[in-house]
Amino acid sequence: MTHQTNSRIEALRDMAPEARLDRVADAAGLSLHDKLALAGQGALPLDLANGMIENVVGLFDMPLGVAANFTVNGKDYLVPMAVEEPSVVAAASYMARLARPYGGFQASSTLPLMRAQVQVLGVADPEGARHRLLAAADELMALANSRDKVLVGLGGGCKDIEVHLFRDTPVGPMVVLHLIVDVRDAMGANTVNTMAELIAPKVEQIASGTVRLRILSNLADRRLTRARVELPAEALSLDGLNGADVARGVVEACALAIVDPYRAATHNKGIMNGIDPVVIATGNDWRAIEAGAHAFAARDGRYTALTRWEIGAGGALVGTIELPLALGLVGGATRTHPAAQAALKLLNVETANELCQVVASVGLAQNLAALRALATDGIQKGHMKLHARNIAILAGATGPDIDRVAREIVAQGDISVDTAKAVLSGA
Ligand SMILES: CC(C)(COP(=O)([O-])OP(=O)([O-])OC[C@H]1O[C@@H](n2cnc3c(N)ncnc32)[C@H](O)[C@@H]1OP(=O)([O-])[O-])[C@@H](O)C(=O)NCCC(=O)NCCSC(=O)C[C@@](C)(O)CC(=O)[O-]
Ligand SMILES: NC(=O)C1=CN([C@@H]2O[C@H](COP(=O)(O)OP(=O)(O)OC[C@H]3O[C@@H](n4cnc5c(N)ncnc54)[C@H](OP(=O)(O)O)[C@@H]3O)[C@@H](O)[C@H]2O)C=CC1
């Protein structure tokens, strides 16, 4: 039987990192080996790192936190997050805690379909080439599927072909063939690139042109994940605030992001605050996720918000997110980096789509945390309270002094390095 995680761990925030790791590993049923990998202890040996990229000189450490309280589609998740910014893990955990009594997050995904583009130049009859390529679709798909027996055996492989025409480009007309490939549990870049290169000579011959680019598109608009959360207004009645007012404030904050690209960029940055850390912790390609998310946000020609917040029946706050997520459980660093492997075991996801659904839910939770703070106290109160520990470190605090100095500067209401130095020196 697969392990059932309970993502609600009381007082997780108050534990020392070692005790926290013990509790998290127990809750997720992790082995000692995976526990050590999450702790970063020898997780990535230098010779392994040297095999991953070029000109390696060392390793670069980042804090790995665990967001608690997540329930997605009725299953609990402890979510690994590799991130340098304070308040991100706390904010995600907080919103997941609020959503938990109301069923948490509901999420779904399309099939994991990626696109590869084959660019053909110098075609005399672009319309004719389009027809010839579409007529040869079965032959082209069979050729694309002829090498990757494993993927095809798993039910994946090339499933469709599209042909896009650009009549007016700086270098004349262009025919661009798209391979639509079900990449199953892979991110899929290498998979679809290999297919695009394989079919290129045949495409060249059929289109009577010259093939240049053969590469995936990071605008993975046929690989979408959606998540939804619904909170009754009373769930938002915190610190004496009226829940209905908070819900309205969240909707109004989102409205600006929908119409104004200046706000949308920050709104979406807040969403990526939740998404990127999970992508990084699981060894996935965060540049691909970023590129896909922002291209999707601008797909109608105007950059807009990736989430929507509405007041639903009975005054409930309803939040939704939809974005392309090309995440894998195989391929890239997901299988080579021991800490990424341990992070995936902590998450206890069985398919890439399940991972995408958790990641989209974390993005939605993160957005709610930011909008709730912005619509009420402002971002600085909660964020700076947690940033105070960084300020204490900057002021020279070490060990137990970090928390002591941070508590004191928060209490004094002056979260600055000067005040932290004064507290540290006992002035
Ligand atoms: C920061 C909080 C959560 C504090 O909020 P609070 O009211 O002080 O929290 P609390 O002490 O009442 O705790 C509530 C829960 O939050 C979590 N929590 C709380 N503190 C901790 C902690 N130390 N360590 C771990 N977990 C913590 C934890 O789950 C806890 O429940 P518990 O499990 O204890 O019963 C809140 O003010 C908040 O959500 N603020 C928003 C923070 C945020 O969005 N940060 C992102 C960085 S800002 C940015 O880059 C993006 C932005 C904002 O520009 C995007 C945009 O504009 O849209
Ligand atoms: N623009 C971009 O975003 C680009 C990204 N990349 C990089 O590409 C890498 C990801 O490529 P990706 O194709 O995912 O990696 P891989 O090629 O390493 O993995 C995919 C392969 O794994 C095998 N496989 C085994 N089990 C499964 C399964 N359950 N589901 C799917 N495939 C399975 C299949 O092939 P087999 O038959 O061989 O077993 C499949 O082709 C990342 O490192 C990314 O950074 C590269 C180029 C461009």
PDB file of all heavy atoms in Angstrom, residues 147-151 154 183-193 215-216 218 285 287-288 330-333 335, ligand 2:
ATOM      1  N   ARG A 147      11.654   5.702 -33.037  1.00  0.00           N
ATOM      2  CA  ARG A 147      12.849   5.498 -32.208  1.00  0.00           C
ATOM      3  C   ARG A 147      12.531   5.257 -30.726  1.00  0.00           C
ATOM      4  O   ARG A 147      13.178   4.460 -30.083  1.00  0.00           O
ATOM      5  CB  ARG A 147      13.751   6.732 -32.295  1.00  0.00           C
ATOM      6  CG  ARG A 147      14.425   6.918 -33.619  1.00  0.00           C
ATOM      7  CD  ARG A 147      15.739   6.123 -33.697  1.00  0.00           C
ATOM      8  NE  ARG A 147      16.260   6.191 -35.047  1.00  0.00           N
ATOM      9  CZ  ARG A 147      17.034   7.170 -35.490  1.00  0.00           C
ATOM     10  NH1 ARG A 147      17.392   8.143 -34.697  1.00  0.00           N
ATOM     11  NH2 ARG A 147      17.464   7.165 -36.736  1.00  0.00           N
ATOM     12  N   ASP A 148      11.540   6.030 -30.173  1.00  0.00           N
ATOM     13  CA  ASP A 148      11.353   6.014 -28.720  1.00  0.00           C
ATOM     14  C   ASP A 148      10.357   4.937 -28.307  1.00  0.00           C
ATOM     15  O   ASP A 148       9.218   5.193 -27.954  1.00  0.00           O
ATOM     16  CB  ASP A 148      10.882   7.407 -28.238  1.00  0.00           C
ATOM     17  CG  ASP A 148      11.324   7.665 -26.804  1.00  0.00           C
ATOM     18  OD1 ASP A 148      11.489   6.675 -26.064  1.00  0.00           O
ATOM     19  OD2 ASP A 148      11.491   8.830 -26.432  1.00  0.00           O
ATOM     20  N   LYS A 149      10.866   3.682 -28.323  1.00  0.00           N
ATOM     21  CA  LYS A 149       9.986   2.540 -28.043  1.00  0.00           C
ATOM     22  C   LYS A 149       9.442   2.599 -26.618  1.00  0.00           C
ATOM     23  O   LYS A 149       8.302   2.235 -26.354  1.00  0.00           O
ATOM     24  CB  LYS A 149      10.763   1.221 -28.226  1.00  0.00           C
ATOM     25  CG  LYS A 149      11.330   1.033 -29.630  1.00  0.00           C
ATOM     26  CD  LYS A 149      10.293   0.433 -30.574  1.00  0.00           C
ATOM     27  CE  LYS A 149      10.856   0.129 -31.949  1.00  0.00           C
ATOM     28  NZ  LYS A 149      10.672   1.205 -32.926  1.00  0.00           N
ATOM     29  N   VAL A 150      10.281   3.071 -25.671  1.00  0.00           N
ATOM     30  CA  VAL A 150       9.847   3.108 -24.271  1.00  0.00           C
ATOM     31  C   VAL A 150       8.648   4.026 -24.130  1.00  0.00           C
ATOM     32  O   VAL A 150       7.615   3.658 -23.565  1.00  0.00           O
ATOM     33  CB  VAL A 150      11.005   3.569 -23.338  1.00  0.00           C
ATOM     34  CG1 VAL A 150      10.512   3.809 -21.922  1.00  0.00           C
ATOM     35  CG2 VAL A 150      12.121   2.546 -23.343  1.00  0.00           C
ATOM     36  N   LEU A 151       8.778   5.231 -24.677  1.00  0.00           N
ATOM     37  CA  LEU A 151       7.699   6.216 -24.570  1.00  0.00           C
ATOM     38  C   LEU A 151       6.421   5.701 -25.226  1.00  0.00           C
ATOM     39  O   LEU A 151       5.329   5.780 -24.649  1.00  0.00           O
ATOM     40  CB  LEU A 151       8.140   7.536 -25.214  1.00  0.00           C
ATOM     41  CG  LEU A 151       7.171   8.700 -25.049  1.00  0.00           C
ATOM     42  CD1 LEU A 151       7.069   9.111 -23.583  1.00  0.00           C
ATOM     43  CD2 LEU A 151       7.611   9.892 -25.889  1.00  0.00           C
ATOM     44  N   LEU A 154       4.681   3.154 -23.284  1.00  0.00           N
ATOM     45  CA  LEU A 154       3.981   3.690 -22.111  1.00  0.00           C
ATOM     46  C   LEU A 154       2.690   4.419 -22.489  1.00  0.00           C
ATOM     47  O   LEU A 154       2.016   4.993 -21.636  1.00  0.00           O
ATOM     48  CB  LEU A 154       4.895   4.675 -21.361  1.00  0.00           C
ATOM     49  CG  LEU A 154       6.104   4.053 -20.644  1.00  0.00           C
ATOM     50  CD1 LEU A 154       7.086   5.140 -20.215  1.00  0.00           C
ATOM     51  CD2 LEU A 154       5.652   3.244 -19.444  1.00  0.00           C
ATOM     52  N   VAL A 183       4.360  13.153 -23.745  1.00  0.00           N
ATOM     53  CA  VAL A 183       5.677  12.798 -23.182  1.00  0.00           C
ATOM     54  C   VAL A 183       5.546  12.065 -21.850  1.00  0.00           C
ATOM     55  O   VAL A 183       6.533  11.862 -21.139  1.00  0.00           O
ATOM     56  CB  VAL A 183       6.584  14.057 -23.034  1.00  0.00           C
ATOM     57  CG1 VAL A 183       6.880  14.661 -24.387  1.00  0.00           C
ATOM     58  CG2 VAL A 183       5.954  15.080 -22.092  1.00  0.00           C
ATOM     59  N   ARG A 184       4.313  11.660 -21.493  1.00  0.00           N
ATOM     60  CA  ARG A 184       4.058  10.896 -20.267  1.00  0.00           C
ATOM     61  C   ARG A 184       4.679  11.566 -19.032  1.00  0.00           C
ATOM     62  O   ARG A 184       4.365  12.656 -18.716  1.00  0.00           O
ATOM     63  CB  ARG A 184       4.566   9.450 -20.413  1.00  0.00           C
ATOM     64  CG  ARG A 184       3.937   8.657 -21.527  1.00  0.00           C
ATOM     65  CD  ARG A 184       2.577   8.096 -21.157  1.00  0.00           C
ATOM     66  NE  ARG A 184       1.491   9.010 -21.485  1.00  0.00           N
ATOM     67  CZ  ARG A 184       0.241   8.859 -21.065  1.00  0.00           C
ATOM     68  NH1 ARG A 184      -0.059   7.827 -20.309  1.00  0.00           N
ATOM     69  NH2 ARG A 184      -0.694   9.712 -21.405  1.00  0.00           N
ATOM     70  N   ASP A 185       5.637  10.916 -18.379  1.00  0.00           N
ATOM     71  CA  ASP A 185       6.169  11.461 -17.121  1.00  0.00           C
ATOM     72  C   ASP A 185       7.479  12.225 -17.289  1.00  0.00           C
ATOM     73  O   ASP A 185       8.187  12.455 -16.310  1.00  0.00           O
ATOM     74  CB  ASP A 185       6.353  10.336 -16.102  1.00  0.00           C
ATOM     75  CG  ASP A 185       5.012   9.806 -15.647  1.00  0.00           C
ATOM     76  OD1 ASP A 185       4.123  10.625 -15.345  1.00  0.00           O
ATOM     77  OD2 ASP A 185       4.831   8.577 -15.631  1.00  0.00           O
ATOM     78  N   ALA A 186       7.803  12.602 -18.526  1.00  0.00           N
ATOM     79  CA  ALA A 186       9.031  13.383 -18.757  1.00  0.00           C
ATOM     80  C   ALA A 186       8.678  14.857 -18.919  1.00  0.00           C
ATOM     81  O   ALA A 186       7.536  15.199 -19.236  1.00  0.00           O
ATOM     82  CB  ALA A 186       9.737  12.884 -20.007  1.00  0.00           C
ATOM     83  N   MET A 187       9.669  15.740 -18.704  1.00  0.00           N
ATOM     84  CA  MET A 187       9.486  17.134 -19.097  1.00  0.00           C
ATOM     85  C   MET A 187       9.338  17.170 -20.616  1.00  0.00           C
ATOM     86  O   MET A 187       8.541  17.905 -21.176  1.00  0.00           O
ATOM     87  CB  MET A 187      10.694  17.953 -18.626  1.00  0.00           C
ATOM     88  CG  MET A 187      10.631  19.429 -18.954  1.00  0.00           C
ATOM     89  SD  MET A 187      11.487  19.746 -20.513  1.00  0.00           S
ATOM     90  CE  MET A 187      11.414  21.507 -20.604  1.00  0.00           C
ATOM     91  N   GLY A 188      10.167  16.376 -21.283  1.00  0.00           N
ATOM     92  CA  GLY A 188       9.929  16.101 -22.688  1.00  0.00           C
ATOM     93  C   GLY A 188      10.766  16.844 -23.704  1.00  0.00           C
ATOM     94  O   GLY A 188      10.640  16.593 -24.893  1.00  0.00           O
ATOM     95  N   ALA A 189      11.639  17.754 -23.242  1.00  0.00           N
ATOM     96  CA  ALA A 189      12.396  18.559 -24.211  1.00  0.00           C
ATOM     97  C   ALA A 189      13.289  17.690 -25.089  1.00  0.00           C
ATOM     98  O   ALA A 189      13.254  17.794 -26.324  1.00  0.00           O
ATOM     99  CB  ALA A 189      13.230  19.614 -23.481  1.00  0.00           C
ATOM    100  N   ASN A 190      14.082  16.835 -24.456  1.00  0.00           N
ATOM    101  CA  ASN A 190      14.982  16.001 -25.254  1.00  0.00           C
ATOM    102  C   ASN A 190      14.186  15.070 -26.157  1.00  0.00           C
ATOM    103  O   ASN A 190      14.539  14.836 -27.313  1.00  0.00           O
ATOM    104  CB  ASN A 190      15.899  15.178 -24.344  1.00  0.00           C
ATOM    105  CG  ASN A 190      16.918  16.071 -23.646  1.00  0.00           C
ATOM    106  OD1 ASN A 190      17.362  17.067 -24.212  1.00  0.00           O
ATOM    107  ND2 ASN A 190      17.275  15.717 -22.426  1.00  0.00           N
ATOM    108  N   THR A 191      13.107  14.539 -25.594  1.00  0.00           N
ATOM    109  CA  THR A 191      12.275  13.603 -26.342  1.00  0.00           C
ATOM    110  C   THR A 191      11.768  14.248 -27.632  1.00  0.00           C
ATOM    111  O   THR A 191      11.904  13.686 -28.719  1.00  0.00           O
ATOM    112  CB  THR A 191      11.052  13.200 -25.474  1.00  0.00           C
ATOM    113  OG1 THR A 191      11.520  12.806 -24.193  1.00  0.00           O
ATOM    114  CG2 THR A 191      10.249  12.098 -26.112  1.00  0.00           C
ATOM    115  N   VAL A 192      11.165  15.436 -27.516  1.00  0.00           N
ATOM    116  CA  VAL A 192      10.560  16.033 -28.720  1.00  0.00           C
ATOM    117  C   VAL A 192      11.625  16.618 -29.650  1.00  0.00           C
ATOM    118  O   VAL A 192      11.445  16.615 -30.872  1.00  0.00           O
ATOM    119  CB  VAL A 192       9.465  17.077 -28.382  1.00  0.00           C
ATOM    120  CG1 VAL A 192       8.398  16.472 -27.491  1.00  0.00           C
ATOM    121  CG2 VAL A 192      10.017  18.346 -27.777  1.00  0.00           C
ATOM    122  N   ASN A 193      12.735  17.077 -29.073  1.00  0.00           N
ATOM    123  CA  ASN A 193      13.814  17.583 -29.940  1.00  0.00           C
ATOM    124  C   ASN A 193      14.359  16.459 -30.820  1.00  0.00           C
ATOM    125  O   ASN A 193      14.640  16.649 -32.008  1.00  0.00           O
ATOM    126  CB  ASN A 193      14.950  18.183 -29.111  1.00  0.00           C
ATOM    127  CG  ASN A 193      14.538  19.488 -28.425  1.00  0.00           C
ATOM    128  OD1 ASN A 193      13.523  20.077 -28.788  1.00  0.00           O
ATOM    129  ND2 ASN A 193      15.309  19.929 -27.458  1.00  0.00           N
ATOM    130  N   ILE A 215      13.134  22.333 -32.704  1.00  0.00           N
ATOM    131  CA  ILE A 215      13.237  22.514 -31.246  1.00  0.00           C
ATOM    132  C   ILE A 215      11.852  22.623 -30.612  1.00  0.00           C
ATOM    133  O   ILE A 215      10.930  23.119 -31.251  1.00  0.00           O
ATOM    134  CB  ILE A 215      14.088  23.782 -30.930  1.00  0.00           C
ATOM    135  CG1 ILE A 215      14.396  23.936 -29.436  1.00  0.00           C
ATOM    136  CG2 ILE A 215      13.449  25.058 -31.476  1.00  0.00           C
ATOM    137  CD1 ILE A 215      15.519  23.064 -28.961  1.00  0.00           C
ATOM    138  N   LEU A 216      11.777  22.186 -29.353  1.00  0.00           N
ATOM    139  CA  LEU A 216      10.484  22.279 -28.652  1.00  0.00           C
ATOM    140  C   LEU A 216      10.064  23.727 -28.461  1.00  0.00           C
ATOM    141  O   LEU A 216      10.910  24.635 -28.477  1.00  0.00           O
ATOM    142  CB  LEU A 216      10.554  21.573 -27.292  1.00  0.00           C
ATOM    143  CG  LEU A 216      10.828  22.423 -26.048  1.00  0.00           C
ATOM    144  CD1 LEU A 216      10.317  21.747 -24.819  1.00  0.00           C
ATOM    145  CD2 LEU A 216      12.306  22.710 -25.935  1.00  0.00           C
ATOM    146  N   ASN A 218       8.532  26.195 -25.566  1.00  0.00           N
ATOM    147  CA  ASN A 218       8.246  26.253 -24.131  1.00  0.00           C
ATOM    148  C   ASN A 218       6.851  26.787 -23.833  1.00  0.00           C
ATOM    149  O   ASN A 218       6.411  26.774 -22.693  1.00  0.00           O
ATOM    150  CB  ASN A 218       9.318  27.071 -23.396  1.00  0.00           C
ATOM    151  CG  ASN A 218      10.617  26.302 -23.276  1.00  0.00           C
ATOM    152  OD1 ASN A 218      11.622  26.633 -23.899  1.00  0.00           O
ATOM    153  ND2 ASN A 218      10.600  25.244 -22.505  1.00  0.00           N
ATOM    154  N   ASP A 285      13.282  21.849 -14.705  1.00  0.00           N
ATOM    155  CA  ASP A 285      13.854  22.987 -15.428  1.00  0.00           C
ATOM    156  C   ASP A 285      12.990  24.226 -15.176  1.00  0.00           C
ATOM    157  O   ASP A 285      11.932  24.392 -15.789  1.00  0.00           O
ATOM    158  CB  ASP A 285      13.888  22.622 -16.925  1.00  0.00           C
ATOM    159  CG  ASP A 285      14.520  23.703 -17.781  1.00  0.00           C
ATOM    160  OD1 ASP A 285      14.551  24.878 -17.348  1.00  0.00           O
ATOM    161  OD2 ASP A 285      14.970  23.381 -18.896  1.00  0.00           O
ATOM    162  N   ARG A 287      13.637  27.382 -15.778  1.00  0.00           N
ATOM    163  CA  ARG A 287      13.598  28.383 -16.865  1.00  0.00           C
ATOM    164  C   ARG A 287      12.477  28.023 -17.836  1.00  0.00           C
ATOM    165  O   ARG A 287      11.757  28.904 -18.334  1.00  0.00           O
ATOM    166  CB  ARG A 287      14.927  28.414 -17.642  1.00  0.00           C
ATOM    167  CG  ARG A 287      16.091  29.050 -16.908  1.00  0.00           C
ATOM    168  CD  ARG A 287      16.850  28.054 -16.077  1.00  0.00           C
ATOM    169  NE  ARG A 287      17.267  26.880 -16.813  1.00  0.00           N
ATOM    170  CZ  ARG A 287      17.379  25.659 -16.263  1.00  0.00           C
ATOM    171  NH1 ARG A 287      17.106  25.466 -14.992  1.00  0.00           N
ATOM    172  NH2 ARG A 287      17.760  24.625 -16.977  1.00  0.00           N
ATOM    173  N   ALA A 288      12.296  26.737 -18.078  1.00  0.00           N
ATOM    174  CA  ALA A 288      11.225  26.300 -18.980  1.00  0.00           C
ATOM    175  C   ALA A 288       9.859  26.645 -18.378  1.00  0.00           C
ATOM    176  O   ALA A 288       8.948  27.093 -19.093  1.00  0.00           O
ATOM    177  CB  ALA A 288      11.326  24.795 -19.215  1.00  0.00           C
ATOM    178  N   VAL A 330      10.974  11.845 -14.654  1.00  0.00           N
ATOM    179  CA  VAL A 330      12.144  11.174 -15.250  1.00  0.00           C
ATOM    180  C   VAL A 330      12.856  12.219 -16.108  1.00  0.00           C
ATOM    181  O   VAL A 330      12.276  13.236 -16.450  1.00  0.00           O
ATOM    182  CB  VAL A 330      11.738   9.980 -16.147  1.00  0.00           C
ATOM    183  CG1 VAL A 330      11.001   8.928 -15.357  1.00  0.00           C
ATOM    184  CG2 VAL A 330      10.888  10.442 -17.321  1.00  0.00           C
ATOM    185  N   GLY A 331      14.091  11.960 -16.442  1.00  0.00           N
ATOM    186  CA  GLY A 331      14.810  12.881 -17.334  1.00  0.00           C
ATOM    187  C   GLY A 331      15.381  14.069 -16.599  1.00  0.00           C
ATOM    188  O   GLY A 331      15.058  14.316 -15.422  1.00  0.00           O
ATOM    189  N   GLY A 332      16.240  14.823 -17.281  1.00  0.00           N
ATOM    190  CA  GLY A 332      16.885  15.984 -16.677  1.00  0.00           C
ATOM    191  C   GLY A 332      17.571  15.596 -15.371  1.00  0.00           C
ATOM    192  O   GLY A 332      18.109  14.489 -15.238  1.00  0.00           O
ATOM    193  N   ALA A 333      17.519  16.514 -14.379  1.00  0.00           N
ATOM    194  CA  ALA A 333      18.189  16.240 -13.105  1.00  0.00           C
ATOM    195  C   ALA A 333      17.276  15.484 -12.136  1.00  0.00           C
ATOM    196  O   ALA A 333      17.692  15.137 -11.039  1.00  0.00           O
ATOM    197  CB  ALA A 333      18.643  17.555 -12.475  1.00  0.00           C
ATOM    198  N   ARG A 335      16.272  12.558 -12.065  1.00  0.00           N
ATOM    199  CA  ARG A 335      16.752  11.208 -11.732  1.00  0.00           C
ATOM    200  C   ARG A 335      18.209  11.201 -11.296  1.00  0.00           C
ATOM    201  O   ARG A 335      18.666  10.220 -10.707  1.00  0.00           O
ATOM    202  CB  ARG A 335      16.594  10.277 -12.952  1.00  0.00           C
ATOM    203  CG  ARG A 335      15.188   9.756 -13.157  1.00  0.00           C
ATOM    204  CD  ARG A 335      14.975   8.431 -12.429  1.00  0.00           C
ATOM    205  NE  ARG A 335      13.565   8.063 -12.317  1.00  0.00           N
ATOM    206  CZ  ARG A 335      12.937   7.240 -13.165  1.00  0.00           C
ATOM    207  NH1 ARG A 335      13.563   6.716 -14.170  1.00  0.00           N
ATOM    208  NH2 ARG A 335      11.678   6.943 -12.969  1.00  0.00           N
TER     209      ARG A 335
HETATM  210  N1  LIG B   2      13.870  24.701 -24.295  1.00  0.00           N
HETATM  211  C1  LIG B   2      13.977  23.830 -23.280  1.00  0.00           C
HETATM  212  O1  LIG B   2      13.219  23.907 -22.311  1.00  0.00           O
HETATM  213  C2  LIG B   2      15.011  22.730 -23.346  1.00  0.00           C
HETATM  214  C3  LIG B   2      15.197  21.913 -22.244  1.00  0.00           C
HETATM  215  N2  LIG B   2      16.089  20.863 -22.279  1.00  0.00           N
HETATM  216  C4  LIG B   2      16.344  19.976 -21.138  1.00  0.00           C
HETATM  217  O2  LIG B   2      15.737  18.703 -21.422  1.00  0.00           O
HETATM  218  C5  LIG B   2      15.654  17.943 -20.226  1.00  0.00           C
HETATM  219  C6  LIG B   2      14.350  17.201 -20.146  1.00  0.00           C
HETATM  220  O3  LIG B   2      14.160  16.444 -21.307  1.00  0.00           O
HETATM  221  P1  LIG B   2      13.350  15.057 -21.252  1.00  0.00           P
HETATM  222  O4  LIG B   2      12.928  14.723 -22.630  1.00  0.00           O
HETATM  223  O5  LIG B   2      12.279  15.141 -20.212  1.00  0.00           O
HETATM  224  O6  LIG B   2      14.478  14.089 -20.700  1.00  0.00           O
HETATM  225  P2  LIG B   2      15.032  12.682 -21.117  1.00  0.00           P
HETATM  226  O7  LIG B   2      15.233  12.535 -22.578  1.00  0.00           O
HETATM  227  O8  LIG B   2      16.200  12.465 -20.235  1.00  0.00           O
HETATM  228  O9  LIG B   2      13.857  11.726 -20.625  1.00  0.00           O
HETATM  229  C7  LIG B   2      12.785  11.375 -21.435  1.00  0.00           C
HETATM  230  C8  LIG B   2      12.954   9.940 -21.884  1.00  0.00           C
HETATM  231  O10 LIG B   2      12.868   9.078 -20.744  1.00  0.00           O
HETATM  232  C9  LIG B   2      12.355   7.799 -21.142  1.00  0.00           C
HETATM  233  N3  LIG B   2      11.290   7.416 -20.208  1.00  0.00           N
HETATM  234  C10 LIG B   2      11.361   6.407 -19.301  1.00  0.00           C
HETATM  235  N4  LIG B   2      10.239   6.353 -18.568  1.00  0.00           N
HETATM  236  C11 LIG B   2       9.417   7.335 -19.001  1.00  0.00           C
HETATM  237  C12 LIG B   2       8.120   7.783 -18.620  1.00  0.00           C
HETATM  238  N5  LIG B   2       7.413   7.201 -17.640  1.00  0.00           N
HETATM  239  N6  LIG B   2       7.590   8.856 -19.245  1.00  0.00           N
HETATM  240  C13 LIG B   2       8.266   9.487 -20.214  1.00  0.00           C
HETATM  241  N7  LIG B   2       9.504   9.099 -20.638  1.00  0.00           N
HETATM  242  C14 LIG B   2      10.082   8.023 -20.034  1.00  0.00           C
HETATM  243  C15 LIG B   2      11.911   7.941 -22.601  1.00  0.00           C
HETATM  244  O11 LIG B   2      12.931   7.508 -23.477  1.00  0.00           O
HETATM  245  P3  LIG B   2      13.818   6.190 -23.597  1.00  0.00           P
HETATM  246  O12 LIG B   2      13.174   5.433 -24.699  1.00  0.00           O
HETATM  247  O13 LIG B   2      15.168   6.731 -23.998  1.00  0.00           O
HETATM  248  O14 LIG B   2      13.855   5.466 -22.295  1.00  0.00           O
HETATM  249  C16 LIG B   2      11.857   9.448 -22.817  1.00  0.00           C
HETATM  250  O15 LIG B   2      12.089   9.814 -24.132  1.00  0.00           O
HETATM  251  C17 LIG B   2      15.814  18.935 -19.097  1.00  0.00           C
HETATM  252  O16 LIG B   2      17.105  18.755 -18.532  1.00  0.00           O
HETATM  253  C18 LIG B   2      15.750  20.294 -19.795  1.00  0.00           C
HETATM  254  O17 LIG B   2      16.507  21.246 -19.071  1.00  0.00           O
HETATM  255  C19 LIG B   2      16.779  20.575 -23.429  1.00  0.00           C
HETATM  256  C20 LIG B   2      16.631  21.343 -24.532  1.00  0.00           C
HETATM  257  C21 LIG B   2      15.778  22.500 -24.588  1.00  0.00           C
END
